Amino acid sequence: MRVRPAKVGPFVLSGALMSSPKPRLVSAVCSCWPLVLALGCATTQPSAPTQAPVEARAMKPAYDVSAVKAELVAKHGEASRARIERGVDQVALQWRAGDGDLTAFVREQFVSDARVLDATFARLERLFEQLDGHMLELGRETQWYTDLDLGPLLPVEPLVAAYDPAAHVAEDLFRAKVAFVVLLNFPLTTLAERTEKGPTWTRRQWAEARLAGRFAMRVPAEIEQESSQAVAAANLYIAEYNVWMHHLVDERGERLFPKGLRLISHWNLRDELKADYADPRGREKQRMIVQVMERIITQTIPAAVIDNPRLDWNPYTNVVTVAPADTVEADAPSKEAKADATREQDVRYARLLAIFQAARKADAFVPIAPTRIARAFELGRELPEARVKALLTQVLESPLVPRVAKEIESRLGRKLEPQDVWYAGFKPGAQRPESELDALTRKRYPSAESFAKDMPRILRGMGFSAQKADWLAEHIRVDASRGAGHAQQAMRRGDFPRLRTRVEKEGMSYKGYNIAVHELGHNVEQAFGLYGVDHTLLTGVPNNAFTEALAFVFQARDLELLGLGKPDAASERERVLGDFWQTWERSGIAMVDMGVWHWLYAHPEATAAELAEAVVSISRDVWARYFAPVLGGEGTTLLAVYSHMISYPLYLPDYPLGHLIAFQIEEHLSRKGPLGAEFERMATYGAVTPDLWMSHATGAPVSAEPLLRATEAALKAKP
């Protein structure tokens, strides 16, 4: 995932208000696009929203709306009636007693002259490109040291990162009446309208819909700031959640992992587990990683061992001992070497709970989508939760699952175990030892700068022309990440997307390289979506699943870009089966994420300990229903290990959706090609509805059927 804008207030869907990879209000969010209105039926049945403050309860002062409309129609003529009636209603919905005289405002600001309306639209589009862009840049600066690997953090850095310079912008625009000018003169649209009529709209109509949609809600700045603080705290918590693998010991006191191996949860732990299929002792290592994951999820991990190589830890017995001096890494952080086995005390779930509590305070101000769940699906994805759940269930319950599992069993020569939910053997080259891949990437990329210099070659290898590859490389900046990595877009022309990936002191590991190629896919989409789109109000893609899909297209070619083989019929079969297995796994983690948020709304006064217990229960239930029949491991909590669930809440459904979308794109590319030109054509179409974007890109709406059909064919084909 890993698309993440800096903090830019309520103009983008994710983060504090919406969902996603470091969502500030989107990774890792994850893409950023203008706030859009969706009035379609929310699929949630939340508890009563938090009571609104006095200011919100006094939103509708007394005035005669009918008289206002009649006066405007008399002045501007019948031809303007529909626009007048809609615009006045839109203003009235958000107008508060403190905003002054509504009648005087609409009398002065309604625009009927087409030329003046065009000029107003152009002025506002330019304004918001600059405003959004500079606010993003300010937010990026506040997160600079918490995001990047620039040494130990100063005590002030978490406070700076939690500050949101854009928190007051939306309310300021309402108070300055700019927001009301937009609402008076441009149409708010429903999700149903955009879905039904969008295919016939002009690009200008789409841009107008996005312009008005950014003011569909009016959440007080103090709530925005609280949301930003909660998300920033969760992101910093996750960014520093490392496990020093050399200091994991088994019952014999043996160390299975090399010295210096520091893995962030969950990304690196999962990727290490995948890499261990190529290791002679891989099964032992995988089982130990699973035990570490279970300890993190259940919060039985000793707090003292987190990011602390001065202690040895047996994750099976939970015994903690002081590490012998000769085993401690030279770059060990300054941590106490005290053998303390006290558990983490539900810190993981306290972070999530703080985000939920901030979201509840926003609920009362968004009557069209009165829960964060509704905002994530109806507003953010523009796909109803029921449809997303149906797509995921179609994969989870597919009869193809046990057939693919049987093939994995034949390859492994054993019954499947819970860790095989991350089976990596379908990927061409997956049998190469991780050490071999690490040696290759560390030699090639000793620093973030070396990756940046190699981007033109990488992009040419992806099918872009030499001229386009150079242009893209000039429009992307690369930084060494403190966390696992993310992509951060730019929002004004003149600024540049940022690629962040972890670079260890020995150089970029294969894990870091794999993430970097994924993030590069995000950045290419972001560069095209900003510099190539016809209206900057349409910058981006429909939702995070689409930017993930385009990043997956890049990531799938990482080994090829290292010179380790081009795809053939056999590797295509491997790709299809691998995509199916990953989509199955990620459909499960998405179900857990959604289930947790439904539980939160059903138990709004829950404590962190109660939330921890609920997460464990929900993850076990989802595992029992869909995964235990195939992988065993009754009672495992592994599906709750994803860090997104803590710092990017309700982002996880974008992963399986992204896989489905990526597969459709890959299917199209196999017929159409070349990748470079087609990628650019898709990425410059902008933030329209998901099915419209997909129909433009591939000729068909979002569906699970292409992946299921291809998997069926792959299983029938001879290996």
Side-chain angles (χ1 to χ4, degrees):
M1 113 191 164
R2 306 160 186 132
V3 177
R4 187 172 79 214
K7 298 167 284 192
V8 292
F11 300 155
V12 294
L13 291 183
S14 31
L17 189 56
M18 290 305 304
S19 65
S20 166
K22 179 181 183 178
R24 265 300 184 271
L25 195 159
V26 257
S27 172
V29 277
C30 255
S31 79
C32 159
W33 61 99
L35 180 58
V36 294
L37 175 63
L39 291 173
C41 296
T43 57
T44 60
Q45 294 296 326
S47 57
T50 307
Q51 187 181 37
V54 173
E55 185 181 13
R57 297 200 298 271
M59 286 176 69
K60 297 182 178 179
Y63 43 73
D64 189 341
V65 173
S66 298
V68 174
K69 293 177 180 176
E71 178 185 337
L72 289 178
V73 171
K75 178 180 179 180
H76 297 282
E78 281 294 325
S80 296
R81 178 180 289 277
R83 286 188 59 240
I84 288 168
E85 292 192 348
R86 187 168 192 166
V88 172
D89 285 342
Q90 290 173 177
V91 169
L93 182 65
Q94 301 281 20
W95 198 270
R96 298 175 185 168
D99 292 325
D101 187 341
L102 181 145
T103 302
F105 172 79
V106 299
R107 184 185 295 131
E108 178 183 348
Q109 292 293 337
F110 180 76
V111 178
S112 59
D113 185 307
R115 290 173 299 178
V116 177
L117 190 65
D118 287 346
T120 302
F121 171 83
R123 176 70 181 92
L124 291 171
E125 182 168 44
R126 181 181 183 280
L127 166 68
F128 288 125
E129 177 189 351
Q130 296 302 313
L131 183 61
D132 291 353
H134 285 294
M135 282 297 170
L136 183 145
E137 291 166 60
L138 287 172
R140 185 168 66 209
E141 288 299 320
T142 67
Q143 301 164 33
W144 194 260
Y145 289 94
T146 55
D147 277 357
L148 302 186
D149 189 9
L150 299 172
L153 291 174
L154 297 173
V156 73
E157 296 300 349
L159 302 179
V160 173
Y163 168 62
D164 185 352
H168 291 262
V169 170
E171 182 57 26
D172 287 346
L173 289 170
F174 273 104
R175 292 184 184 278
K177 306 296 192 296
V178 175
F180 288 119
V181 171
V182 172
L183 293 172
L184 181 61
N185 290 287
F186 300 98
L188 285 172
T189 58
T190 67
L191 178 55
E193 283 179 300
R194 291 192 298 280
T195 300
E196 178 184 353
K197 300 177 182 178
T200 66
W201 284 354
T202 64
R203 298 291 286 177
R204 163 68 179 267
Q205 285 175 298
W206 267 109
E208 287 186 6
R210 296 318 194 194
L211 172 62
R214 64 195 293 132
F215 297 113
M217 63 181 81
R218 189 179 183 181
V219 179
E222 62 269 20
I223 294 177
E224 299 286 5
Q225 186 66 57
E226 182 177 340
S227 293
S228 293
Q229 290 171 345
V231 171
N235 273 290
L236 182 58
Y237 167 76
I238 291 299
E240 297 189 325
Y241 207 109
N242 294 290
V243 178
W244 292 77
M245 304 301 286
H246 186 60
H247 298 278
L248 301 179
V249 296
D250 61 17
E251 63 277 4
R252 302 182 301 274
E254 187 174 0
R255 304 173 190 274
L256 301 181
F257 298 94
K259 191 173 184 178
L261 184 60
R262 181 186 64 150
L263 302 182
I264 195 170
S265 175
H266 76 282
W267 294 277
N268 291 162
L269 287 172
R270 178 202 59 195
D271 292 345
E272 175 68 25
L273 188 153
K274 288 182 176 183
D276 287 336
Y277 281 102
D279 191 298
R281 300 189 67 180
R283 200 172 178 188
E284 290 178 80
K285 292 182 175 182
Q286 289 175 335
R287 286 174 171 174
M288 182 173 278
I289 292 172
V290 165
Q291 187 63 26
V292 171
M293 290 178 168
E294 295 268 8
R295 293 287 187 189
I296 292 170
I297 296 161
T298 60
Q299 290 288 264
T300 54
I301 182 173
V305 306
I306 300 170
D307 202 22
N308 189 354
R310 301 179 190 279
L311 297 175
D312 289 340
W313 171 43
N314 183 328
Y316 297 99
T317 64
N318 238 9
V319 171
V320 178
T321 56
V322 175
D326 62 343
T327 68
V328 177
E329 285 77 359
D331 60 343
S334 180
K335 294 288 184 78
E336 186 177 12
K338 180 181 179 182
D340 185 353
T342 304
R343 74 180 188 89
E344 197 187 355
Q345 302 298 327
D346 304 319
V347 178
R348 179 179 179 87
Y349 301 107
R351 299 301 185 197
L352 172 56
L353 195 59
I355 293 174
F356 166 70
Q357 290 164 345
R360 281 188 72 218
K361 293 180 181 179
D363 290 348
F365 297 91
V366 196
I368 58 171
T371 69
R372 199 177 196 282
I373 303 170
R375 296 194 287 279
F377 289 94
E378 298 289 330
L379 301 187
R381 294 185 179 91
E382 293 190 285
L383 287 171
E385 184 187 9
R387 184 176 174 202
V388 173
K389 188 172 287 189
L391 286 167
L392 303 188
T393 302
Q394 191 177 359
V395 174
L396 288 167
E397 296 182 345
S398 171
L400 297 171
V401 173
R403 293 172 60 188
V404 176
K406 186 175 180 181
E407 175 150 343
I408 296 174
E409 284 188 348
S410 69
R411 296 187 183 201
L412 294 177
R414 61 169 173 80
K415 283 288 187 182
L416 298 188
E417 298 179 3
Q419 70 268 18
D420 297 317
V421 73
W422 291 301
Y423 175 71
F426 286 127
K427 184 179 179 182
Q431 298 306 314
R432 294 178 180 273
E434 184 86 350
S435 58
E436 177 185 332
L437 295 173
D438 283 343
L440 181 59
T441 57
R442 283 173 174 151
K443 181 179 180 181
R444 184 171 292 186
Y445 305 118
S447 65
E449 292 77 13
S450 58
F451 185 86
K453 289 179 181 178
D454 198 35
M455 282 197 301
R457 182 199 64 81
I458 292 173
L459 291 164
R460 290 193 300 272
M462 292 293 297
F464 293 97
S465 67
Q467 181 180 10
K468 191 66 68 173
D470 289 342
W471 181 88
L472 286 167
E474 290 168 0
H475 284 74
I476 297 169
R477 301 293 183 264
V478 182
D479 304 311
S481 177
R482 184 179 295 275
H486 62 269
Q488 187 178 88
Q489 75 181 106
M491 295 183 71
R492 67 170 183 88
R493 289 163 292 188
D495 189 24
F496 305 102
R498 316 291 300 202
L499 188 160
R500 273 82 183 265
T501 192
R502 179 173 284 200
V503 182
E504 305 290 354
K505 64 178 182 178
E506 301 87 359
M508 187 181 292
S509 68
Y510 171 69
K511 294 183 185 69
Y513 164 77
N514 178 264
I515 289 172
V517 175
H518 178 97
E519 306 311 335
L520 181 59
H522 285 309
N523 292 138
V524 170
E525 172 259 303
Q526 291 161 353
F528 282 141
L530 175 61
Y531 285 89
V533 73
D534 50 354
H535 284 284
T536 54
L537 287 165
L538 296 177
T539 293
V541 290
N543 60 45
N544 284 330
F546 285 79
T547 191
E548 288 298 345
L550 292 170
F552 288 147
V553 170
F554 268 58
Q555 191 172 14
R557 291 160 173 77
D558 69 328
L559 293 175
E560 181 183 345
L561 295 170
L562 285 174
L564 299 179
K566 291 182 177 294
D568 53 19
S571 63
E572 174 61 13
R573 180 178 187 271
E574 296 288 290
R575 182 185 73 83
V576 170
L577 295 178
D579 280 354
F580 176 81
W581 195 252
Q582 274 199 311
T583 306
W584 177 63
E585 173 251 324
R586 293 184 173 188
S587 294
I589 63 175
M591 287 293 199
V592 172
D593 198 15
M594 291 186 286
V596 167
W597 274 84
H598 279 283
W599 186 92
L600 281 165
Y601 272 101
H603 303 84
E605 306 304 325
T607 64
E610 290 168 337
L611 174 57
E613 184 178 346
V615 170
V616 167
S617 176
I618 291 166
S619 60
R620 285 174 174 167
D621 287 347
V622 174
W623 186 273
R625 181 171 181 178
Y626 301 113
F627 295 85
V630 179
L631 301 176
E634 193 73 39
T636 186
T637 64
L638 281 183
L639 295 174
V641 76
Y642 275 64
S643 297
H644 310 70
M645 200 168 71
I646 306 306
S647 58
Y648 304 103
L650 284 172
Y651 184 87
L652 288 176
D654 288 324
Y655 271 125
L657 285 175
H659 279 290
L660 296 178
I661 294 164
F663 191 85
Q664 286 182 263
I665 291 172
E666 289 280 13
E667 185 180 60
H668 171 80
L669 291 173
S670 69
R671 299 193 308 266
K672 195 74 174 175
L675 185 150
E678 284 298 289
F679 194 102
E680 182 175 4
R681 181 181 66 84
M682 296 175 188
T684 54
Y685 196 55
V688 297
T689 50
D691 284 335
L692 179 58
W693 191 97
M694 184 60 83
S695 294
H696 166 80
T698 70
V702 178
S703 171
E705 289 300 329
L707 175 59
L708 298 180
R709 287 196 302 267
T711 304
E712 175 77 34
L715 287 168
K716 290 179 179 178
K718 291 184 178 181

